[in-house]
Structure formats: C-alpha cells, structure tokens
Amino acid sequence: MRAMSFELRDRDLLGRIGRLRTKSGTVETPAFMPVVNPVSQAIPPRRMMEEFGCDILITNAYIFRKHFGDMLDLEIHRFLDYNGVVATDSGAYQILVYGEVEASQEEIIEFQKRMGSDIAVILDIPTGWDVPRSKVEWTVEETLRRAEAAIPLIEGDEALWVGPVQGGTHLDLVERSAKAIASMPYQIHALGSPTEVMESYRFPILVDMIMVAKRNLPPERPLHLFGAGHPMVFSLAIALGCDMFDSAAYALYARDGRYLTPHGTKRLKSLSYLPCSCPVCRRRDAEELRGMLKGERVRLLSEHNLHVTMSEIDTVKQAIAEGALWELMEDRCRGHPALASALRGLYKYRDDLERGSPSYKGRGLFFFDSGCLARPEITRHIKRLEEQYLPSVTKGKLLLILAPERRPFNKAQQYARLKRNMEEGLDQASRDFHVCFYAPPFGVIPIELAETYPLSQFETAEPLDRETLEFASDSVARYVAKSSHKEVVIYSGKGTLDVLVESKCREACQEKGKELSVVSDLKPWGSEAMERLVNALRG
Amino acid sequence: MRAMSFELRDRDLLGRIGRLRTKSGTVETPAFMPVVNPVSQAIPPRRMMEEFGCDILITNAYIFRKHFGDMLDLEIHRFLDYNGVVATDSGAYQILVYGEVEASQEEIIEFQKRMGSDIAVILDIPTGWDVPRSKVEWTVEETLRRAEAAIPLIEGDEALWVGPVQGGTHLDLVERSAKAIASMPYQIHALGSPTEVMESYRFPILVDMIMVAKRNLPPERPLHLFGAGHPMVFSLAIALGCDMFDSAAYALYARDGRYLTPHGTKRLKSLSYLPCSCPVCRRRDAEELRGMLKGERVRLLSEHNLHVTMSEIDTVKQAIAEGALWELMEDRCRGHPALASALRGLYKYRDDLERGSPSYKGRGLFFFDSGCLARPEITRHIKRLEEQYLPSVTKGKLLLILAPERRPFNKAQQYARLKRNMEEGLDQASRDFHVCFYAPPFGVIPIELAETYPLSQFETAEPLDRETLEFASDSVARYVAKSSHKEVVIYSGKGTLDVLVESKCREACQEKGKELSVVSDLKPWGSEAMERLVNALRG
C-alpha cells in the first residue's frame, strides 16, 4: 500500500475538495467514477476523459478476470486505452447479486495487483437490503476478518486500497464496522450498500448511515459511497463528507430509456422537450432522439447522462469553493419530498456540520425557512452568543430592539433616529443599557456584532415560517435568562415574532426574578413609540 | 394587421405552450427572443438558429433606421441572414434611457413595415422606475393615445402588432392600461418596465404587476414581458401567463464577465469550476475561459449564457407538458429569498392558478411546505369538498380518521384492520357513519375520494411546517361545521396535527351544537385503540 496522499484544498459543511495522489496521477475529489464494463462500453474510456472530463473511472476486476484472466501482459490502462486513474471493484457486488463468486479474496487481490489498478478493494461482503440482523452481523464481521486478512497481502503494493464499511441500515453495526476498519491501515474507506436505500427513496436513513460512518472514520481518508451515481444525491452526500462515487447508472439508465437530471429521473418516452443544456440535448430535440435506432439512442442517452453527472460534480465543487453548498443541497433536495425530509433531518447533525465548515466565505446568507436552521452560520452564532459572548457584558439594563429593515442594523436609518432620540432624551445615568437587536433566524444580535459576518449579510424570505420564529424567540428568551442584567426592556412591534419574544421573555424574567418592561407599538419606528421608549428608560 | 393566429397546445398553472403564426413562420411559445444588435453581434443570427434553436429573435427598429435607414431594398431577414421570425422593438427603450427619440411614431411604424418585421411594436412610452405618479399616469395615457393613433396606420399590415401595457409598479394604473389596450385590435400585448423591478429583486411586486395585467388582458392573446431575459425568472413569469421574453442580457452580461445560471448570476472571475453542462462549459474549465483574450471570452460567455437561456425555456416547456411547472418554479425560486417571497405571495392568486390549470396530468403531487398551499390541486380539492361534495352526504355520524401511512388510504392495511374490527364489533345500526380521513395538506379526504387524483398520489416532506398543519386542521374544522351530521367521532393519534384537529373541531361542534367524541391514542393502529373506537361507536 502506498503512503497516504490525500490533501484537502477547500471545504464547506462536511464537504471538501481534495487531491488524491495515485500511482497513475492525481485526481481531484469529490470525484465520480463511471463504471466501465470491460466487455461492452457505450462511451470509450478515452472519450470519457477527453470530452467528459473523467480523470478517473472504475471497472470490475472480477468480471475482467473471468473474461481476460488468461491474457499475458494484462495492464488495465493499456487494455482500456485510458491514461487516467483506474479503480477496480472486487466482485463484492456480484456476491450481493449471486450470493458468491468463483474466486477467493487472495486471487482477487492478486489479480488487481497484476492488472495494475490504481485503487483497489478487498473482497468484502456487502450487507444488502432487507436481510435479517444475524445476516447483517455476519457481513460486518466477515468483511472485517477479510480486511484483516488482506493486510499482509497488500503490504507494499503501489495501489491505494479501500477498506469497506458494512452494516446497511443497522446504525449500531455501521458504527462497529467503521470503528474497526478505521484502525486498519487502509488509505480509503467506502460505505457499502446504499444503492437499495437510494432506490427506495429512504434518504433520511441514508443520511444517518453516512453520518455514523463519517463520525467513526479518520477524516483524513477519503470516503467512497459505493454504487451512488444519481446526480440528485451528490450535493447531499458530499455535504455529509463523501468524496467519491461510482455507478453504472449513466449507462444502465440509458439502456432502459431513462434520462437523468440533477433533480431526478425522467423517461425519454415521456419527454416532449429536452430540459438540459448538454451538447447532446442542445443539438437535437426529444422527438429526434426517440426516433433513433436503439444503439444510437442508447449511446446518446448515455452521453447525456454522463454529461449531467459530471457537470453536477463541477457544480458541487463550485458550491464548495464559494461557500454555497448548503444552498445547492437545498435546491437539489426539492427534487423529491424524501430528499426534503432527509434535509430536515440534518438538524440533529448541526454540530458536525458546524465543525466542518469554515467560518467565512464572503458571501451573504440566504435564509428560506426552518429547514435552514441547521446551517453552520446559525449554529455558530447561537454557540458564540451563549458560550463566549454572554459573560463579558456588564452594562446595567438589557435593551432588546426589534431589527430595523436594513442591515447592518446598527447603521440603519431607523435605528439612527431612535439612537438620537435616546441620546437627546436621557441623561448619562439612564443611558446605561446594552443594546441588542432581535431578528430571525439568529435571535439576539448584540449591537457590537451587527457588522460582523453573517449578521450584516443575510437575506430572508418573507413571511418566515412559524418554526423559524419560534427558534429565534426561544433563543432570545434563553439569552435573557442567562444574561447578568437584572432589568430588561423590550422595544418591539406587533408582529408574530414580537408577540413570541415578549411572551417568552416575560416567562424567563419571572423565572429568574428580573424586571421586564415592554414598549410595543404598531409603528415602532414612529416618533410616538420612540418617545414612549425614552420615557420607559428614564423611569 | 394579420388575423389572430395563436393556438394553445398545452397548459399548466397559467403557463401555456402555444403556436404563434407569423408571416415568416410559426413560433412555439413560451419563446425567448435574443436581442440582436444590428451593428455588432457576438453570435451570428444563423448560428443562433442552427446551434441554439432560436426560431425567433428581436432587433431594434430605431437603431436599425438610424444606421441603415437609407439603404434601398432593406429587408430584415436578408440583412440578418436569418430565416426565422424577426420581431422589432420601436425605440421605446431609447425613450426610457434618453428621454426621447429622433423619430415620430408614424416614421417608426412605417419603417417597421418597410423592413418586413414579423412582429412589431408601436412607439409606446415606458413608465420607467422611481418616477412620480403624475409621470406614470402620463406614460399610461400617452401610450394609449399612441396605440389608438396607430390603429389606422397598421390596418391591413402583414405583421403582428404589439400593444404595450404600462403603469410600472402602480397596480391601479397597470389595470387601467391593460383594460384600455385590451379593447383595441392588437394581436399581442406586452408588459413594460419590469427590468428595474427585476434588477432590484422586487419579485413580489413583479408578480402583482403581471397578475394585474394578465387578469385584464384577453387570454387568447400572447403576453410578452419586455426586457426579461434572466433564466431564473422564466418559470415564475410563465406560470403567471407570460408567453414571450426578450433580452440582451445573454450578451451584455457576457461583456461584463457575468455567467448566467437557472438560479442566478455568477461572476466568471469568482468561478473555480464551470457549474453547467453546456457545450462551452463541458469542453473547457474555468481557468481556461478566464485566461482567454477578451473577444473570445466574451463570445464564449455569450454562448454559454444563450445555451442556458434557451435550455431553461425547454425545461419550462417540459414542465408544462408533464404538469410539473409548480415544482420547477419552486425550485428556481430557491435561487434568492426575494424569489421565494414572491412564490409565497402566490397564495392570494390561488383561484387564478386553479382556473388556469388542467385537472389531471397523471403525476403524483410533491408537497414540501406551506409554500405549496397555493397549488391548484389543493385549491381544487378544498373547493370541491366545500361546494360540491359536502351537501350530498347523508349518513348518520361523521367518523374522522387520521390518515394511515400508505395511499390510497381506503386500501391501506392499517385501515383494513380497523374496518374489520368495526364490522365485527358493531351491529347494523351502529355502522351508520361516514368515514373521512384527515391528512395534510388536503384536510378532509372522504373515503369515496381516496382513490381519486391527487388524493391517492401525493408525497409530503416530513415533518411538515406548522402553517400546513394549521391549514389542514382549519379545513377539517370547516368541513365539520358545514356538514349535516349531528354527531362527530374523531379517531386520532397524539401528533401536532391530531391535537390541532381535535381542538378546532371541538370549537366548531360547540358552535354548531354538534356532539363530539374523540378516541385518541399514541398507537392509533394498535388493537387497544381500535377497541376503544368500537366501544365509542357502539355507545
């Protein structure tokens, strides 16, 4: 086995852009590896690289051995006429389908070494789908035994070797599997058996599977999601930390008349128009494509599917580079309610997402609804407020002001007028208060932070959903409860958020024995309301 | 003017696919018309047709006249070397920019006739942006005067003539303008001045402008949205009934280094990857494109922008054909919070959207959150329930059952068991009840309708937002209040929706003097709960 050679270049959420060095060259991740069938191939590997940008592909060592095992001088790059990086699978998929294969792990490992694979896999036992727990346990343990047994066989080999994680949808077994394989000297890990989970649209459990594996594997090794090739799942899987994908879907779907899009699958026969900008779709229309002879149609459909797949990888990479992976993932998760449900389930992983994400990408935050509450920017603000910021405040009163219409709030005209009013109407002693704004989704925004990212740069859809307003007002009330101030003044409007903030803060103040006064007005930025506030602060 | 020749082929929401016959051929709508600058053009018109599928383009008659007005034998198709449909603008845009133009309406109309335009516009006065109301009124009235004055000049002409609607963001003036022009014999209408509204991201007001125009214009005439060329607004504008778009954005943005996507605009200089599958982006990478000489770079960027624009039109058409325009629009409206706000504003136009939409497209409904409550399928269900269905029910009691997990509800195993229990445990007299399921977002689903579209075919994201649950429970309570039953039995779980349904129905029953009993259980599909229901019905 080669020494580890995976270098991270950029990240967003748990997604990352990395460079993986292999003996045949360096590959940038996240990477999609099209499965190349050594026996019949719609798009020749050389074209894959030149026209589709595929720097890496994967083929099946087991099938290869069956058909061409007798060839002397077998070298996979030469055989495929391809000078990129070649990964090989071991036949584990065939075990899943046929129950067993006609080769031992030793033979398969030896063959992968002989054919010159750049990335190779041990002969693991896929967990599969809908099998009894005892069987799942066996696949996990047997895979680990084989991984252990493989170590002496691959020691010193030039290829990068993959140590798979099994366990299917049994999360405790995925954890056991990941922890054990993590301690072995593999350079890449892979999560097995997501295909059926994806095909049955059980995306919430897919998220859990990936997260359990991710939490228990060394972050410095790439994670390959076996058999995932639909562009609609890339952004989600990458956001959770997957780095590599392989699939024959682009070709298999084409044979079956299925047309990939970044939001799902369509049937060519039901297309009146080609909703895509790829070279295949721009040069002809749906009727033309449908009317072709099968061979030509399948070839073109494979090309379309591969274009869409590869450009989705670039789209995800660009999103990582600009810090917009969350937004891309949200967009793709509108492709199906099950994906949207998976997205909502990310809230329980918000701390993982926050830890993985860089703190500033120079880009305003778009907030749409409570589905966005798991965003790292929000988790980080809440944490900073409650863990670091709160204890340092010393002013007499806490003055909570509803957020003005423009950002940054401390520079908004509406606040400037209020400030002038307070300065003119109050003596030094009555001016002893700490101003905090409140706004969804962040909750409390202390005035000193109003010009920091992302508090000065966010836009929200209107009206926001109830869950977001509850989240923001809960956060305000928690801040009020924890703060050292004995007196709290709220200056608010009459909207839903204002009412929630007022009632929750009232409860918090009662519980903590704090004094609360509220100045609320239908026109909070009018002179009358401002005057009332000045009087309240003076009193 | 030619006789009307606009034929509708398909529709979804207020969007439609149509065929517009002109003297140079038929164009399918929705159609995007790239603005071709007669003086300098990055992509030659012939290539636009052959490689980009542009069957129609638009050029500016005023600029044309200024530069080439002296040419004898001027014929626009020959001049442009283009055998598609050519529309011309009149110079109104130049009025907007420079305040006036050096030509009279008579001259411009005469020139458009002479150059052989297929679609031509009178010399209207654009309202513009941020102008006092008195000026807005003048643009509306002067445009109407000119439209009236133009009629004798264009009578009998072979071209299709466009009658513009002005008024900007003053909705009452848009209404006045639309109503007046609707009574004149124009074959196409256009809505003026949306460009600044779009550039300042005021999409909610754009929706209102379009809807006011649409409501007051003859539906059988195409509606052109002047100067709209960003692919991110197409699905929304088309869903509201716009049929034609024109813009030079594809070229202007390219000159400025801006890269269009269906979700917004990116700067080429900030792109690390090209997030697109078009022929320009698949054949090179971001660095390569940035490194080119300016002329070549602008040309390729224009090509990319035009590919994305044209393929978005095909994407929208495909969505109309398969009845998925709502979902596409939702997706695109995730591009910016202001677009998302505009989408939420569609709720007030739900009756218009419902009237425009065909009732069945054979496709399951995807429901994500309360933003989807304006969907025609939901409006139609609520209407049908309250207007047509309710009075025909005669059974003794109303039995409201929480929806089982699988659809159709009446065929679900969970319900089948409950039914068996009720059949075995109740005598004929106690079986006199009408079963209705309740489920978000639809509210009440009478058992007889459970297998009809879309009640048998919808999927929801989980968990749903509070607004959706409120909507559904309100609808249940309204149904309970209106029904002829004197006794109501609710069979429910303990979830948020169950609690809402119970409390709202309790209120409705009290008000209407109905008897209510509730059987609610943490495990509503368990034997114990079923037994309790049977007892309640027996009693």
Side-chain angles (χ1 to χ4, degrees):
Chain A
M1 284 190 274
R2 285 171 74 87
M4 245 308 282
S5 46
F6 184 52
E7 185 195 326
L8 292 183
R9 294 298 185 94
D10 207 342
R11 62 203 175 104
D12 196 24
L13 305 178
L14 296 172
R16 56 245 193 121
I17 293 176
R19 300 269 159 89
L20 181 65
R21 214 173 322 134
T22 76
K23 68 180 171 57
S24 298
T26 296
V27 170
E28 193 171 75
T29 63
F32 172 74
M33 304 181 272
V35 171
V36 166
N37 181 334
V39 184
S40 89
Q41 184 53 26
I43 311 171
R46 179 195 280 272
R47 275 194 66 206
M48 280 186 170
M49 173 172 282
E50 289 169 2
E51 293 174 38
F52 297 81
C54 305
D55 298 332
I56 181 169
L57 55 74
I58 191 167
T59 188
N60 189 303
Y62 175 73
I63 295 179
F64 217 82
R65 182 171 174 276
K66 218 166 138 177
H67 289 271
F68 310 104
D70 297 338
M71 271 176 74
L72 297 171
D73 248 15
L74 184 65
E75 207 287 324
I76 185 70
H77 300 80
R78 223 177 315 127
F79 185 96
L80 294 176
D81 184 25
Y82 177 77
N83 66 1
V85 172
V86 177
T88 47
D89 197 0
S90 57
Y93 180 74
Q94 283 65 33
I95 295 184
L96 187 63
V97 178
Y98 306 112
E100 56 178 330
V101 292
E102 297 154 9
S104 68
Q105 158 151 291
E106 287 75 7
E107 289 168 328
I108 295 282
I109 288 178
E110 203 40 57
F111 189 75
Q112 289 182 87
K113 286 159 79 170
R114 177 151 84 86
M115 72 199 284
S117 307
D118 299 307
I119 298 174
V121 196
I122 63 162
L123 190 62
D124 61 317
I125 311 287
T127 296
W129 175 246
D130 219 7
V131 286
R133 185 172 166 99
S134 58
K135 171 87 187 292
V136 178
E137 279 167 1
W138 177 78
T139 64
V140 167
E141 298 308 325
E142 179 62 18
T143 294
L144 289 173
R145 263 192 295 277
R146 290 179 176 212
E148 197 66 58
I151 295 174
L153 303 176
I154 58 185
E155 204 150 32
D157 186 50
E158 285 279 273
L160 302 174
W161 284 84
V162 178
V165 174
Q166 295 296 346
T169 57
H170 297 260
L171 300 180
D172 58 326
L173 298 178
V174 173
E175 183 178 342
R176 147 88 184 130
S177 179
K179 275 187 173 146
I181 199 96
S183 69
M184 300 183 203
Y186 287 91
Q187 295 105 327
I188 297 175
H189 291 294
L191 179 61
S193 314
T195 317
E196 293 84 356
V197 178
M198 289 186 287
E199 283 179 357
S200 59
Y201 282 77
R202 296 189 56 198
F203 297 110
I205 187 78
L206 177 69
V207 166
D208 293 331
M209 288 166 62
I210 296 174
M211 284 305 299
V212 169
K214 191 75 193 169
R215 281 176 169 178
N216 292 289
L217 290 170
E220 68 277 11
R221 297 181 187 171
L223 177 58
H224 173 182
L225 189 61
F226 269 143
H230 200 303
M232 76 177 172
V233 305
F234 287 166
S235 55
L236 177 64
I238 291 168
L240 300 178
C242 295
D243 303 291
M244 300 167 78
F245 304 90
D246 76 285
S247 171
Y250 72 100
L252 297 178
Y253 278 42
R255 246 177 271 168
D256 195 28
R258 286 185 288 171
Y259 180 99
L260 294 178
T261 84
H263 289 92
T265 310
K266 296 180 184 288
R267 300 217 147 260
L268 178 60
K269 70 174 180 218
S270 71
L271 287 181
S272 307
Y273 303 88
L274 299 176
C276 173
S277 66
C278 87
V280 172
C281 297
R282 285 299 92 202
R283 276 193 222 114
R284 41 189 78 70
D285 63 28
E287 215 181 307
E288 220 174 314
L289 199 54
R290 262 200 307 275
M292 285 175 172
L293 290 177
K294 185 165 184 202
E296 178 73 353
R297 191 176 65 232
V298 168
R299 187 180 64 75
L300 287 169
L301 208 44
S302 299
E303 290 189 17
H304 157 81
N305 287 344
L306 191 55
H307 275 307
V308 168
T309 304
M310 294 304 292
S311 78
E312 182 67 2
I313 292 284
D314 279 345
T315 302
V316 174
K317 285 183 187 169
Q318 175 56 31
I320 292 174
E322 68 186 82
L325 182 54
W326 181 279
E327 282 148 33
L328 179 67
M329 175 174 66
E330 275 209 307
D331 172 77
R332 297 323 193 213
C333 286
R334 302 297 279 197
H336 194 279
L339 277 167
S341 301
L343 187 75
R344 287 174 203 185
L346 293 188
Y347 190 70
K348 64 174 181 271
Y349 299 114
R350 63 190 181 282
D351 290 328
D352 302 78
L353 295 171
E354 190 269 320
R355 271 193 301 274
S357 246
S359 62
Y360 179 60
K361 288 257 181 176
R363 198 171 174 283
L365 182 135
F366 288 170
F367 187 92
F368 294 96
D369 55 40
S370 52
C372 303
L373 289 172
R375 290 190 69 148
E377 296 86 349
I378 294 167
T379 307
R380 192 166 289 147
H381 174 73
I382 302 279
K383 269 193 188 167
R384 173 161 74 158
L385 211 60
E386 299 187 358
E387 291 168 15
Q388 300 161 33
Y389 190 75
L390 198 57
S392 70
V393 174
T394 53
K395 293 258 185 178
K397 293 179 192 174
L398 172 62
L399 174 53
L400 278 172
I401 302 181
L402 86 160
E405 279 156 26
R406 298 196 174 253
R407 272 155 288 256
F409 298 138
N410 62 328
K411 294 284 175 68
Q413 263 196 6
Q414 292 172 323
Y415 175 67
R417 269 196 60 211
L418 179 64
K419 197 178 157 199
R420 222 167 28 246
N421 269 277
M422 292 192 295
E423 278 167 2
E424 287 166 7
L426 296 174
D427 59 18
Q428 195 59 40
S430 336
R431 271 192 246 156
D432 181 32
F433 47 74
H434 177 217
V435 170
C436 290
F437 300 102
Y438 65 86
F442 293 100
V444 169
I445 297 180
I447 191 161
E448 303 87 315
L449 299 183
E451 285 181 73
T452 63
Y453 176 83
L455 307 170
S456 58
Q457 274 175 281
F458 68 99
E459 308 216 32
T460 59
E462 300 297 335
L464 283 167
D465 59 355
R466 179 80 183 205
E467 285 80 357
T468 300
L469 304 183
E470 296 276 359
F471 177 92
S473 52
D474 283 340
S475 162
V476 175
R478 266 200 318 277
Y479 184 86
V480 163
K482 282 196 188 173
S483 85
S484 54
H485 303 97
K486 290 283 158 230
E487 276 187 73
V488 180
V489 179
I490 297 180
Y491 182 66
S492 66
K494 298 277 194 189
T496 311
L497 178 66
D498 301 309
V499 172
L500 286 173
V501 164
E502 186 184 327
S503 83
K504 288 179 184 178
C505 287
R506 194 172 296 285
E507 214 173 290
C509 287
Q510 261 164 15
E511 203 171 294
K512 299 283 178 181
K514 300 184 184 216
E515 200 178 301
L516 174 72
S517 42
V518 178
V519 175
S520 103
D521 201 296
L522 253 181
K523 290 183 181 169
W525 305 111
S527 318
E528 207 182 312
M530 292 187 185
E531 202 175 308
R532 284 174 56 209
L533 176 64
V534 169
N535 287 335
L537 289 169
R538 199 184 286 140
Chain B
M1 284 192 276
R2 285 170 74 88
M4 244 308 280
S5 46
F6 184 52
E7 184 194 327
L8 293 182
R9 293 299 184 94
D10 207 340
R11 64 203 173 104
D12 196 23
L13 305 177
L14 295 172
R16 56 244 192 123
I17 293 176
R19 300 269 159 88
L20 180 65
R21 214 174 320 137
T22 77
K23 69 180 171 53
S24 297
T26 297
V27 170
E28 193 171 75
T29 63
F32 172 74
M33 303 181 273
V35 171
V36 166
N37 181 334
V39 183
S40 90
Q41 184 54 27
I43 311 170
R46 180 195 280 269
R47 274 194 68 206
M48 281 188 169
M49 173 171 282
E50 288 169 3
E51 293 175 38
F52 297 80
C54 305
D55 298 331
I56 181 168
L57 55 74
I58 190 166
T59 189
N60 189 305
Y62 174 73
I63 294 180
F64 217 84
R65 181 169 173 276
K66 215 165 142 179
H67 288 272
F68 309 104
D70 297 337
M71 272 175 72
L72 296 173
D73 247 15
L74 183 64
E75 207 287 323
I76 185 69
H77 300 80
R78 225 178 312 128
F79 186 95
L80 295 175
D81 183 25
Y82 178 75
N83 67 0
V85 171
V86 177
T88 47
D89 196 1
S90 56
Y93 179 74
Q94 282 65 32
I95 295 184
L96 186 62
V97 178
Y98 306 111
E100 57 177 329
V101 291
E102 297 154 10
S104 67
Q105 157 151 293
E106 287 75 8
E107 288 168 327
I108 295 282
I109 287 178
E110 202 43 54
F111 189 74
Q112 289 182 88
K113 286 160 78 170
R114 178 153 84 85
M115 71 199 283
S117 306
D118 298 308
I119 298 174
V121 195
I122 64 162
L123 191 62
D124 59 318
I125 311 287
T127 296
W129 175 246
D130 220 6
V131 288
R133 184 173 167 100
S134 58
K135 172 88 188 293
V136 179
E137 279 167 359
W138 177 78
T139 63
V140 166
E141 298 307 325
E142 180 62 18
T143 294
L144 289 173
R145 265 191 295 278
R146 290 178 177 213
E148 197 66 59
I151 296 173
L153 304 177
I154 59 186
E155 202 151 34
D157 185 49
E158 284 279 275
L160 301 174
W161 283 83
V162 177
V165 173
Q166 295 296 347
T169 58
H170 297 261
L171 300 180
D172 58 324
L173 298 179
V174 174
E175 183 177 343
R176 145 90 184 130
S177 180
K179 275 187 172 147
I181 200 94
S183 68
M184 299 183 203
Y186 286 91
Q187 296 104 327
I188 298 176
H189 291 294
L191 179 61
S193 313
T195 317
E196 293 85 354
V197 178
M198 289 186 287
E199 283 180 357
S200 59
Y201 282 76
R202 296 189 56 199
F203 297 110
I205 187 81
L206 178 68
V207 165
D208 293 332
M209 288 166 63
I210 296 173
M211 283 306 299
V212 169
K214 192 73 193 171
R215 280 177 168 176
N216 291 290
L217 289 170
E220 68 277 11
R221 297 181 187 170
L223 176 59
H224 174 182
L225 189 62
F226 268 143
H230 200 304
M232 76 178 172
V233 304
F234 287 167
S235 55
L236 177 64
I238 292 169
L240 300 178
C242 294
D243 303 290
M244 300 165 79
F245 304 91
D246 75 286
S247 171
Y250 72 100
L252 297 176
Y253 277 42
R255 244 178 272 168
D256 196 27
R258 285 185 287 171
Y259 179 99
L260 295 178
T261 83
H263 290 92
T265 309
K266 296 179 185 291
R267 299 216 149 261
L268 178 60
K269 70 173 178 220
S270 72
L271 286 181
S272 306
Y273 303 89
L274 299 176
C276 172
S277 66
C278 88
V280 172
C281 298
R282 285 299 90 201
R283 274 193 222 114
R284 42 189 77 69
D285 62 29
E287 215 181 306
E288 219 175 314
L289 199 54
R290 263 200 308 273
M292 285 174 172
L293 290 177
K294 184 163 186 205
E296 178 73 352
R297 190 176 65 235
V298 168
R299 186 179 65 74
L300 287 170
L301 208 43
S302 299
E303 289 188 18
H304 157 81
N305 287 344
L306 190 55
H307 275 307
V308 168
T309 305
M310 294 305 291
S311 79
E312 183 66 3
I313 292 284
D314 278 345
T315 302
V316 175
K317 283 184 190 169
Q318 175 57 31
I320 293 175
E322 67 186 82
L325 183 53
W326 181 279
E327 282 149 32
L328 179 68
M329 174 174 67
E330 275 209 309
D331 173 77
R332 298 323 193 214
C333 286
R334 301 295 280 198
H336 195 279
L339 277 167
S341 302
L343 187 74
R344 287 175 203 183
L346 293 189
Y347 191 70
K348 64 174 182 269
Y349 299 114
R350 62 191 182 281
D351 289 329
D352 302 77
L353 295 171
E354 191 268 322
R355 269 193 301 276
S357 247
S359 61
Y360 179 60
K361 287 259 181 174
R363 199 171 174 281
L365 181 137
F366 288 170
F367 187 93
F368 294 96
D369 56 39
S370 54
C372 305
L373 289 173
R375 290 189 68 147
E377 296 86 350
I378 294 167
T379 308
R380 192 166 291 146
H381 174 72
I382 302 280
K383 268 193 186 167
R384 176 162 70 159
L385 210 61
E386 298 186 359
E387 292 170 14
Q388 299 161 33
Y389 190 75
L390 198 59
S392 71
V393 175
T394 53
K395 293 258 185 178
K397 293 179 190 174
L398 172 62
L399 173 54
L400 278 172
I401 302 180
L402 87 159
E405 280 157 24
R406 297 195 173 255
R407 274 156 285 258
F409 298 138
N410 62 327
K411 293 283 174 68
Q413 263 195 5
Q414 292 172 322
Y415 175 66
R417 268 195 60 211
L418 179 63
K419 197 177 158 200
R420 220 166 32 242
N421 268 276
M422 293 193 294
E423 276 167 0
E424 286 165 9
L426 296 174
D427 59 16
Q428 194 60 39
S430 335
R431 272 192 248 155
D432 182 32
F433 47 75
H434 178 216
V435 171
C436 289
F437 300 101
Y438 65 87
F442 292 101
V444 169
I445 298 181
I447 192 163
E448 304 87 315
L449 300 183
E451 286 181 73
T452 63
Y453 177 83
L455 308 171
S456 58
Q457 275 175 279
F458 68 100
E459 308 216 32
T460 59
E462 301 296 337
L464 284 166
D465 58 354
R466 180 79 182 204
E467 285 80 356
T468 300
L469 303 183
E470 295 277 359
F471 177 92
S473 51
D474 282 341
S475 161
V476 174
R478 267 201 318 278
Y479 184 87
V480 163
K482 280 196 188 174
S483 84
S484 53
H485 304 96
K486 290 283 158 229
E487 275 186 75
V488 180
V489 180
I490 298 180
Y491 182 65
S492 66
K494 298 277 194 188
T496 311
L497 178 67
D498 301 310
V499 172
L500 287 172
V501 163
E502 185 183 328
S503 84
K504 288 180 184 176
C505 287
R506 196 173 295 285
E507 214 173 289
C509 287
Q510 260 163 16
E511 203 171 291
K512 299 284 177 177
K514 299 184 184 215
E515 200 178 303
L516 174 72
S517 41
V518 177
V519 175
S520 102
D521 202 295
L522 253 181
K523 290 183 181 169
W525 305 111
S527 315
E528 208 183 312
M530 291 187 184
E531 202 176 307
R532 283 175 55 209
L533 175 63
V534 169
N535 286 335
L537 289 169
R538 200 186 282 138

